Amino acid sequence: MGCGTSVKTEYQGKKSEKAIKAAVLIQRWYRFYMARLEMRRRYTLNIFQSIEYAEEQAQLQLSNFFTFMIDHYAQMNNQHQGPDLISDIINSSKDGKKKLMAYETIEVPDSYDGPRLSFPLSVSDTNTLLHAFKQEKHLHARYVLQLFNEVKKFLKQMPNIVHLTTSFAKQITICGDLHGKLDDLLLIFYKNGLPSTENSYLFNGDFVDRGKNSVEILVILFAFLLVYPNNLHLNRGNHEDPIMNLRYGFTKEVMQKYRVHAKSILHLLEDIYSQLPLATIIDSKVLVLHGGIANTTDLDFLTSIERSKYKSALKPPRSNSERNNLIHKGNVLPIDGCKASESLDRPIGSSIHEVQHFPDKCLSSQMFSSSLQHSGGLPEEFRNGGILEIKYLHPSIPMPEMTPELTDTEQKEWKQVVDILWSDPRNQNGCSPNSFRGGGCYFGPDVTKKFLDRYNLEMLIRSHECKQEGYELGHNGRIITIFSASNYYDEGSNRGAYLKLCPDLIPRFVQYQVSKCTRKLTLHQRINAVEDSALRALQEQFFAHRSDLMKAFKEFDPNDTGKISISDWASALEAVLHLDLPWRTLRSRLTRLASDGSVEYMSCFDDLHIGKSIKEVQPSLVETLYRYKADLEIIFNIIDKDHSGLISIDEFHQTWKLFTSHLHISIDDSTIDDLAHSIDSNKDGSIDFNEFLEAFRVVHKFEDKSHYAKT
C-alpha cells in the first residue's frame, strides 16, 4: 500500500507540474497578446495626435493669411472702425454691432417648442435647458443673445487669475477639454452631480470646436455660471478663439443653427472669449490653466495685462490707428524679403526662442508699387469693391505685412498669453519652441519645478492634450493633464476623465467613456475599429502629399525599380510628413514588401482614389485642392455672406487665386476654370461647396466593408 501511495503522489505531482507549465504558457501568451494590443492602442493615438498637431501648425502658419483676408474684408467695404477678426467678416460698423445685439427686439414665436428662459436665471432654468438639450432641441436666438450678454457683463468683473478655496465646498471638480461633446458633459453631471453651492466645478477651456454641440455646451456652462457664480468657474482655452473656430467647426455650427442671428452671436463670443480668465489658483497651492508654461511665464505680470485685447491669441492686438493703416508707413512694403514671413512662419509667441523657419514660404520681396494709395494704404480696388474684384491679383504679388510693430511690453504680454494657452510638457529638461503644434513651448521637469517653487505651488493642472486614459501624471507627479472628451478622435479612441480636489488637495480621478456602437464589441474589435480609422486618416495624408512622397521615394530609387529599403521608405515618409511616427512598426499596414524584403512604395497609394472622377482636372491640382480643402472651406464661408452654401464660379475662381497667391502655387487660369465648370454639374453658374468637398473626398478601397467584423 505504501508503494501505491507513492506512485499516486508522484503521478499527481507530475500532473500538477504540467498544469503549472500550461498556466505559465497561457499567462505568457496573454501578456504578449495584451502588450501587442496596448502597442496598437498607443500608436493609434499617436497617429491621430500627430495629424491633429500638424493641422494646428498649418492653421497657425496660415493665420496671417486668414487675418489678412478677414481684416481687409471690412476695409474693402469702407468699415474702417470695425472690431477685429470674426466681426469684420460680417461687415458691421460699431453702430451696426449694437443693433445686431439688441436681443430685446427679437420675438419668440408661439410655435417655438424649445426651452424658455426668464432672467435672472434660476435652477429651474438650468434644469429646463438640460432636459431640452437631451431631447436635441435648440435654444432660441433671443435667449442665447440675452444669456451671452449677461455672461459678458459678469466676466468683465473677473480678474485674469482667479483664486479659489476648498474651504467653503466639499470639493472642486476640474474638467478638461469638452470640444462640443455634450454627451460627456451630461455624463459628468450624472456621475458627479450638478453644480451647486456644495459642488463646485472648474472647466479648463476648449469647450467648443470639433464636436457638434458646442453651442449647447456654452449655453449650459454660461447658465450655471450665472446661477452659481461662486461655484462654477471657466478658464480660457486655445480654442476659445475666433480664428480657430473658423477652421475647427464652431463658426459653421453657429451659422447653421442660428442663420439670421449668427452674426450677433459671433460678435458676442469674441468679447466673451477675451474676457475669460486665463488661469485659476486653488488654495494658493494648485495652478490650473489650459496649456502650460514657459521658462519666462510670470504670474505677477499676467495679473496686470489687459486680457480683453486678445480677441484671438493667434495674432497680437492692433491699435485703432494700426487697424486703419494695415500697411506700414507709406505705400510700399519692406523689401528685406523675409520680414513678413518671419511673423507668419514662426511658432507664435516664440520670439524669445530660436525658432524653425520655412524659407520656401517667404513672401516675395516685391512692392505693392503704384497700386497702393495713401488712403489707408489700400489699392483703389480694395476700397471701392470687394475682394473678388481685385483684377491684379496674381501669385507673384505679395500680401502686406499683417503683424503690427509691438513694444517690448506688448510682445511680452502676447507671448505670456500664447504660452499658457498652447504649451505642452515634455520629459526632457529645458524649454524650446513647440514646433509640433506651431505655438507655445515645450517645457521640461526642471522648468516645472523652478516655476512651482518660485510661486510656492505644489501642482500644475492643465488640459490641451488628449490622453488615452483621460488623464496623465508627469514631471514627478507635479503636472497633471486632464482631458474630458471621450472618443475624441473616433469611437473608442480614448476615455474621458475629471478630477476632484478636496481640502487635502489629493487628486481623485474619475474615468468614463460614452459608449454607443462599441459597447457590444470585444476589446480586440474595438482596437481594430479605432486603428483602422487612424490608418485611413494617415493614408489620406499620403494622398494629400503624393507628389512630394513620390519625389522623396525616387531619390532613393535612381534606377526606377519601384522598390526601396524599409529604412529609406521610413526616412522618406518622415522627411515629407513630419509626423514623428513609428513607420517601421506601421509598415505592414501601409505598404507591401517585395520578395527580396524591400518596399514596393507605389503600394502606399493602392487603396486610395478620389470619390468623384473629374477627368478635366489635372491630377496635381486635385492633390493640391485636397490638401488645402479645409482652408478653402474657411475662405468659402467668409465669401458666402448669405450662408447659402453657394458661390458663383467667378467667386470660386477668385477665391482660389487669392489662396494660391499666398501659397505661391502656380496654376493657370484655364485649369481653375476647368475645375469650376466640372464641379458645376447642373450648369447654373454656382458651385455647391458641399459638392466640392465631396468631389475631393478620398475613398478607401475597402471602406464599405465592416471594420468591426475583424477579429
Side-chain angles (χ1 to χ4, degrees):
M1 290 180 64
C3 292
T5 302
S6 175
V7 171
K8 185 176 181 181
T9 302
E10 182 179 353
Y11 172 76
Q12 289 176 338
K14 290 182 178 179
K15 186 176 181 180
S16 176
E17 184 179 350
K18 288 182 179 179
I20 292 173
K21 287 182 178 179
V24 169
L25 285 173
I26 292 171
Q27 187 180 57
R28 185 179 300 169
W29 172 86
Y30 180 75
R31 287 176 176 173
F32 178 74
Y33 172 78
M34 294 303 295
R36 284 185 61 84
L37 285 182
E38 180 61 23
M39 178 189 70
R40 290 170 61 194
R41 283 184 64 199
R42 292 188 180 187
Y43 76 57
T44 294
L45 186 68
N46 197 5
I47 291 171
F48 279 129
Q49 280 189 329
S50 296
I51 294 173
E52 177 192 8
Y53 295 165
E55 289 177 352
E56 286 187 346
Q57 185 183 74
Q59 171 72 7
L60 297 183
Q61 290 170 11
L62 286 170
S63 65
N64 203 46
F65 168 70
F66 292 130
T67 305
F68 165 80
M69 189 169 183
I70 294 168
D71 285 343
H72 280 70
Y73 207 71
Q75 292 282 340
M76 288 171 231
N77 293 274
N78 296 320
Q79 302 300 333
H80 297 292
Q81 296 293 334
D84 227 348
L85 301 169
I86 293 295
S87 304
D88 290 340
I89 296 177
I90 59 180
N91 207 15
S92 300
S93 63
K94 289 184 177 179
D95 292 337
K97 183 179 178 183
K98 291 178 181 177
K99 184 178 180 181
L100 284 170
M101 295 181 184
Y103 58 84
E104 299 91 345
T105 62
I106 302 174
E107 294 185 3
V108 181
D110 294 336
S111 59
Y112 169 69
D113 64 348
R116 294 176 182 265
L117 304 180
S118 57
F119 291 81
L121 297 181
S122 64
V123 175
S124 63
D125 291 303
T126 57
N127 290 336
T128 298
L129 287 171
L130 290 171
H131 180 71
F133 291 159
K134 288 177 184 177
Q135 296 179 325
E136 299 186 352
K137 294 183 178 180
H138 294 320
L139 182 64
H140 194 277
R142 196 257 190 233
Y143 299 121
V144 173
L145 285 168
Q146 188 170 2
L147 173 65
F148 285 11
N149 267 291
E150 294 299 319
V151 168
K152 176 184 171 182
K153 294 176 189 175
F154 174 81
L155 290 175
K156 279 186 176 180
Q157 308 169 27
M158 300 296 290
N160 293 345
I161 300 178
V162 177
H163 288 260
L164 302 180
T165 177
T166 57
S167 302
F168 305 115
K170 296 179 181 179
Q171 64 185 23
I172 295 177
T173 300
I174 302 174
C175 301
D177 302 36
L178 287 168
H179 280 300
K181 291 184 171 289
L182 180 61
D183 287 344
D184 286 299
L185 178 61
L186 295 178
L187 184 59
I188 292 170
F189 286 163
Y190 173 78
K191 294 172 71 72
N192 196 60
L194 295 175
S196 68
T197 53
E198 295 184 348
N199 193 23
S200 296
Y201 278 88
L202 168 58
F203 290 88
N204 197 27
D206 279 13
F207 321 121
V208 301
D209 278 336
R210 303 188 188 278
K212 64 179 182 179
N213 294 115
S214 296
V215 171
E216 288 74 17
I217 285 179
L218 284 184
V219 167
I220 290 172
L221 295 182
F222 289 169
F224 275 112
L225 179 66
L226 296 180
V227 175
Y228 296 109
N230 297 318
N231 301 97
L232 189 132
H233 309 277
L234 305 173
N235 282 343
R236 184 176 185 176
N238 67 306
H239 276 264
E240 279 66 66
D241 187 301
I243 291 184
M244 295 296 288
N245 297 164
L246 270 173
R247 177 155 189 163
Y248 293 105
F250 182 46
T251 299
K252 186 174 181 180
E253 179 188 338
V254 174
M255 291 296 186
Q256 290 175 340
K257 291 179 178 178
Y258 298 99
R259 289 181 178 274
V260 176
H261 303 289
K263 300 175 182 181
S264 303
I265 293 171
L266 292 173
H267 272 307
L268 266 176
L269 282 171
E270 273 191 55
D271 294 332
I272 289 173
Y273 288 163
S274 66
Q275 295 288 356
L276 285 167
L278 299 172
T280 301
I281 295 178
I282 301 173
D283 289 346
S284 301
K285 291 296 181 182
V286 179
L287 174 65
V288 186
L289 46 74
H290 181 72
I293 58 174
N295 54 3
T296 55
T297 299
D298 186 337
L299 293 183
D300 298 325
F301 183 75
L302 275 170
T303 60
S304 64
I305 70 172
E306 185 184 343
R307 71 179 186 276
S308 61
K309 294 189 300 185
Y310 296 92
K311 307 287 185 183
S312 169
L314 298 186
K315 298 299 295 181
R318 211 181 269 122
S319 66
N320 287 334
S321 60
E322 287 169 325
R323 191 179 292 120
N324 294 332
N325 188 17
L326 293 177
I327 301 176
H328 297 305
K329 299 177 183 178
N331 61 351
V332 295
L333 288 176
I335 56 174
D336 57 0
C338 281
K339 182 176 180 181
S341 66
E342 287 174 357
S343 65
L344 167 66
D345 292 326
R346 71 174 45 155
I348 57 176
S350 60
S351 60
I352 291 181
H353 306 295
E354 181 181 349
V355 300
Q356 177 183 3
H357 291 276
F358 300 81
D360 57 312
K361 294 185 181 177
C362 285
L363 297 183
S364 168
S365 62
Q366 299 178 43
M367 310 174 192
F368 260 147
S369 65
S370 60
S371 66
L372 299 181
Q373 308 296 321
H374 290 283
S375 177
L378 293 173
E380 190 69 26
E381 293 92 332
F382 263 124
R383 297 200 312 278
N384 297 337
I387 199 166
L388 306 179
E389 299 172 11
I390 306 172
K391 306 302 182 186
Y392 60 82
L393 195 57
H394 188 272
S396 65
I397 299 177
M399 288 182 298
E401 164 71 83
M402 291 300 299
T403 302
E405 297 294 336
L406 300 179
T407 65
D408 290 343
T409 301
E410 289 171 334
Q411 182 68 41
K412 181 180 178 181
E413 280 186 6
W414 183 38
K415 183 185 183 304
Q416 294 278 318
V417 172
V418 169
D419 283 340
I420 64 172
L421 294 181
W422 280 89
S423 296
D424 293 309
R426 285 294 179 267
N427 294 326
Q428 295 77 22
N429 282 337
C431 185
S432 60
N434 192 333
S435 56
F436 211 45
R437 283 191 193 266
C441 300
Y442 292 135
F443 61 100
D446 58 330
V447 176
T448 298
K449 182 180 186 305
K450 184 177 180 180
F451 175 84
L452 295 179
D453 291 348
R454 175 184 175 186
Y455 293 101
N456 195 28
L457 297 167
E458 295 179 0
M459 189 189 314
L460 191 158
I461 298 175
R462 42 92 63 179
S463 302
H464 195 41
E465 288 183 288
C466 177
K467 298 300 178 182
Q468 204 153 44
E469 298 302 322
Y471 73 94
E472 184 177 86
L473 277 67
H475 294 186
N476 301 314
R478 303 193 76 180
I479 287 273
I480 294 176
T481 297
I482 192 77
F483 195 85
S484 299
S486 68
N487 308 308
Y488 177 59
Y489 295 113
D490 202 353
E491 188 77 20
S493 63
N494 66 284
R495 294 182 180 181
Y498 56 88
L499 71 83
K500 298 191 283 188
L501 280 183
C502 297
D504 59 10
L505 297 183
I506 297 175
R508 294 167 175 85
F509 301 95
V510 179
Q511 297 170 289
Y512 56 86
Q513 189 160 20
V514 175
S515 299
K516 293 180 181 177
C517 64
T518 61
R519 185 175 297 172
K520 297 181 181 180
L521 300 178
T522 66
L523 175 62
H524 192 189
Q525 288 173 328
R526 290 200 300 270
I527 291 177
N528 273 346
V530 179
E531 182 185 42
D532 287 345
S533 179
L535 290 171
R536 287 199 301 274
L538 186 56
Q539 287 174 319
E540 289 177 13
Q541 293 293 308
F542 287 4
F543 182 87
H545 298 82
R546 178 170 180 156
S547 298
D548 293 337
L549 285 172
M550 287 300 300
K551 183 179 178 181
F553 291 150
K554 287 183 179 298
E555 287 182 0
F556 292 109
D557 182 25
N559 297 323
D560 201 22
T561 64
K563 298 184 292 185
I564 56 177
S565 70
I566 295 176
S567 177
D568 290 343
W569 175 80
S571 298
L573 288 175
E574 186 57 34
V576 172
L577 299 179
H578 305 290
L579 294 178
D580 193 25
L581 291 173
W583 296 112
R584 291 171 178 269
T585 302
L586 296 171
R587 195 274 317 154
S588 62
R589 302 299 304 273
L590 297 173
T591 191
R592 290 194 308 268
L593 287 183
S595 57
D596 60 358
S598 59
V599 172
E600 296 177 350
Y601 54 80
M602 285 298 296
S603 62
C604 292
F605 312 106
D606 283 353
D607 190 30
L608 306 169
H609 64 90
I610 283 291
K612 180 180 178 181
S613 178
I614 305 177
K615 297 179 181 179
E616 299 88 346
V617 182
Q618 299 173 3
S620 60
L621 178 57
V622 173
E623 178 186 329
T624 303
L625 282 165
Y626 179 79
R627 186 185 304 185
Y628 295 109
K629 66 178 183 178
D631 305 305
L632 286 170
E633 184 174 12
I634 296 173
I635 302 170
F636 183 98
N637 289 330
I638 294 173
I639 293 170
D640 181 22
K641 292 191 292 183
D642 62 356
H643 310 293
S644 64
L646 299 171
I647 60 172
S648 70
I649 288 180
D650 183 58
E651 286 175 326
F652 177 82
H653 183 106
Q654 293 290 350
T655 296
W656 186 237
K657 285 186 69 176
L658 177 66
F659 196 52
T660 55
S661 73
H662 177 68
L663 294 176
H664 298 279
I665 299 170
S666 180
I667 298 176
D668 61 86
D669 291 353
S670 61
T671 303
I672 300 175
D673 287 338
D674 289 342
L675 170 67
H677 287 288
S678 65
I679 297 175
D680 180 21
S681 54
N682 59 1
K683 307 305 177 186
D684 64 351
S686 296
I687 294 175
D688 183 328
F689 201 70
N690 289 326
E691 290 183 1
F692 169 78
L693 292 177
E694 183 63 21
F696 293 96
R697 183 175 68 88
V698 167
V699 174
H700 296 259
K701 188 175 181 181
F702 303 108
E703 73 175 1
D704 58 330
K705 298 182 180 179
S706 172
H707 297 290
Y708 296 153
K710 295 182 180 180
T711 58

